[in-house]
Amino acid sequence: QVQLVESGGGSVRGGEALRLSCAASGEITSNKCMGWFRQAPGKEREGLAVIYFGGSETLYGESVEGRFTISQDSVNKTVSLQMNTLKPEDTAMYYCAAGALAGCLVYGLQQNHYTYWGQGTQVTVSS
């Protein structure tokens, strides 16, 4: 089993920044694909950014590329999402997920690539 705990959400104004963190524990190995997703009320869950522990390659969704940056710390088993220039449409519950390394940077924006999910952290952006 793998446990994922997100933190760092909150309420900000448009144009401001937030940094989300995801702490992984349990049967987590270094070769794990890690992704960030979000889901707004009434909308489907959206893949935002992907990375794998020990790697530097990343994959981003179109809606956040250039504004969000994903990073990982394979020693401490944490994954972060730096979110800059936030917009009201970024308001959502943000989730961290862990999945198989195989196909990570090809299928990593699809939620069915992942086995483990955190409980989420709320991000609210006002105009």
Side-chain angles (χ1 to χ4, degrees):
Q1 288 293 320
V2 173
Q3 292 79 43
L4 302 172
V5 179
E6 303 94 338
S7 62
S11 296
V12 297
R13 295 193 176 200
E16 295 183 343
L18 275 176
R19 186 176 180 88
L20 305 183
S21 291
C22 172
S25 62
E27 297 177 0
I28 188 81
T29 61
S30 59
N31 57 338
K32 259 301 191 267
C33 183
M34 302 297 295
W36 280 99
F37 288 75
R38 69 184 177 191
Q39 188 166 20
K43 294 190 177 181
E44 293 187 357
R45 193 166 291 191
E46 176 188 10
L48 304 177
V50 180
I51 198 167
Y52 56 91
F53 279 131
S56 59
E57 293 177 88
T58 56
L59 177 67
Y60 291 96
E62 288 184 5
S63 65
V64 302
E65 188 161 20
R67 295 190 300 127
F68 292 10
T69 303
I70 190 171
S71 59
Q72 57 84 22
D73 179 345
S74 58
V75 174
N76 295 307
K77 295 295 184 283
T78 58
V79 179
S80 297
L81 186 69
Q82 177 67 39
M83 307 186 296
N84 296 331
T85 320
L86 284 162
K87 306 174 183 179
E89 50 264 44
D90 293 318
T91 295
M93 186 70 79
Y94 283 69
Y95 298 92
C96 173
L101 181 62
C104 180
L105 295 176
V106 176
Y107 305 110
L109 291 177
Q110 300 174 24
Q111 57 179 317
N112 60 11
H113 182 75
Y114 297 90
T115 305
Y116 304 100
W117 292 84
Q119 293 299 306
T121 185
Q122 178 68 37
V123 172
T124 303
V125 184
S126 60
S127 56

